[in-house]
Structure formats: structure tokens, C-alpha cells
Amino acid sequence: MTSVADNLDSVRHRIDAACLAAGRVPSQVSLLPVSKTHPASAVLDAVAAGYTRFGENRVQEAMGKWQELHEGHPEIEWVIIGHLQTNKARDVARFATEVSSLDSVKLAHDLARRLDREGRQIDVLIEVNSSGEPQKSGVAPSEAPALARELAGMDTLRVKGLMTVAVNSPDRARVAACFQTMQDLQQRLRQEAPATSSWDELSMGMSGDFEQAIAHGATVVRVGTAIFGARYYS
């Protein structure tokens, strides 16, 4: 059985190779290990390998790990990548450094208000439903500019870019279409909402498709299973 450190090294090599194949500089793409359903001890294995930012889907699970690890490892940062309900905004405002799944004006206002009370700022990405699947979270690509304009005046939210989950399909063309939609939207927002953000971040690509995402401009890839192994659900 390979270690978390070995898996991180393997995934990083794959990222670097995908960057070179796409004519990109490897330093342009960062790896966000996704630690959901795995224990705090697995996170510490990744910390020992040099990683300090971790993606989590569920606020309650992320907050529990933050409470367990923060005193001994204040350098660890937590990124919420799953759908965020407005009633969890208070908890997120306490500990998260980024929300990658911002998908409504109401959530933005609630989060901004809670952060103001905490005296904190965090990074946010607008989540976009690039596949059009009804079961997925995220705004439609056509709705992203309007949401971006609403975010422009919220000082506690630092808008960095966009996030998506591509269609889960063996058809590489369908997957590529999702990523191309995001590249096109990134360019549109740079023209229509430049006061909100530079829109430099594109968080897209997971264990099964991150090489394709990199070929379409991803700057952050979110990888869990290939690093920590199979997920465990209670």
C-alpha cells in the first residue's frame, strides 16, 4: 500500500506532465487535496509532505477537523468545495479560508454579513454548473455575470475566479465541453465584470479528469481518492 506522501508525489508528477503536454508551466497549477471522509491523521500525513490547504465538502466535518488540528497546526487552511447552505454561513465564517462553491446572491450576503461580524475576509469562487445536469449545484453559465456584479461591493468576499464539476462520463468530448464552457466564461467575465475580480482562478478537474482540465486552463485541481484512497461514508 502506498503512503499519502507517495500518492501526493505521484499526482503532482501527473499534474506537471499534463502542464508540459499543454504547453503550460507546472507552477501555474496547484493541487488541492480533498480530505472529505478521511480522518485528521490523514490530513497530518499530507501536512508532513508539505501541503497545508485541504478541500472539504461538508461544513460540519471540516469544522471538526479544524477544531482538532488548529491549535497544533494553525497553518492548515480549509476550503469548502461542497454545496453550502445559508444556515452554515456562520460556521464557515469562523474557520474557512475559502468557499469554492458560492452559487447565490443570498448565500453571498449571508456569508459577507457573518464575516463582517467575525472581522474576517475569505476567498470565494463562483460555482458554475457547466454540464447543465439538474442534480448539480452551481449557477448556469449565463447567470454568472449577474452574480459577479452583485459580489462587487462585498468587501469581506475576495472573488478569485470560478469552480465547476464536469460531467462524470467516459465520453472525453462531453467532459472537454464542460471545461471549454468555463474557459469561455472566464474570458466573458474579464470583459463584463473586471471590477469584481481578475478571474484568474479556474478550479476544475478531479481524480478522473484533471489532465483534461489542465489542458483547458485549470489553475486548481481537486484530488481526493488518488491521494487518500477510497472514501468512507458512515
Side-chain angles (χ1 to χ4, degrees):
M1 179 180 294
T2 58
S3 68
V4 167
D6 289 337
N7 292 340
L8 283 163
D9 190 53
S10 175
V11 171
R12 186 66 241 186
H13 280 300
R14 288 173 60 191
I15 291 170
D16 293 352
C19 287
L20 294 174
R24 301 180 62 194
V25 178
S27 60
Q28 294 176 334
V29 180
S30 63
L31 169 60
L32 179 67
V34 177
S35 50
K36 67 178 184 179
T37 81
H38 293 282
S41 59
V43 172
L44 291 181
D45 288 340
V47 170
Y51 289 80
T52 57
R53 284 170 54 85
F54 298 91
E56 287 282 343
N57 274 51
R58 298 177 179 177
V59 173
Q60 185 174 359
E61 181 181 352
M63 192 170 184
K65 290 175 185 173
W66 170 69
Q67 291 171 331
E68 181 176 349
L69 298 175
H70 179 68
E71 184 174 350
H73 295 274
E75 75 279 12
I76 296 177
E77 299 181 0
W78 300 99
V79 180
I80 303 300
I81 63 173
H83 178 63
L84 178 58
Q85 298 177 325
T86 55
N87 63 359
K88 297 293 186 181
R90 179 178 63 180
D91 292 337
V92 168
R94 290 182 56 197
F95 75 94
T97 57
E98 181 179 305
V99 170
S100 296
S101 51
L102 187 66
D103 63 357
S104 74
V105 173
K106 177 173 171 42
L107 175 59
H109 279 292
D110 286 355
L111 190 56
R113 184 174 67 253
R114 294 293 186 180
L115 286 162
D116 188 58
R117 292 178 183 176
E118 295 285 339
R120 299 183 67 227
Q121 292 180 311
I122 64 170
D123 296 338
V124 296
L125 305 180
I126 293 178
E127 182 177 9
V128 178
N129 186 344
S130 59
S131 67
E133 295 170 281
Q135 73 272 24
K136 283 186 176 175
S137 302
V139 299
S142 62
E143 298 171 350
L147 177 54
R149 288 190 290 270
E150 290 286 343
L151 296 174
M154 300 183 192
D155 294 338
T156 55
L157 304 179
R158 298 185 296 255
V159 184
K160 297 297 184 179
L162 303 167
M163 184 271 269
T164 199
V165 178
V167 64
N168 183 10
S169 171
D171 186 339
R172 289 176 59 84
R174 291 183 64 199
V175 176
C178 293
F179 296 144
Q180 186 61 53
T181 292
M182 298 302 292
Q183 275 194 300
D184 294 343
L185 180 58
Q186 181 186 47
Q187 293 305 314
R188 179 181 174 186
L189 288 168
R190 283 173 170 166
Q191 295 174 356
E192 297 185 14
T196 308
S197 171
S198 59
W199 303 104
D200 287 340
E201 294 289 357
L202 272 183
S203 176
M204 56 187 196
M206 299 186 293
S207 290
D209 61 13
F210 69 76
E211 281 101 343
Q212 268 191 284
I214 289 169
H216 285 83
T219 62
V220 179
V221 296
R222 310 179 304 272
V223 180
T225 303
I227 294 170
F228 296 107
R231 296 191 175 111
Y232 299 93
Y233 294 96
S234 58

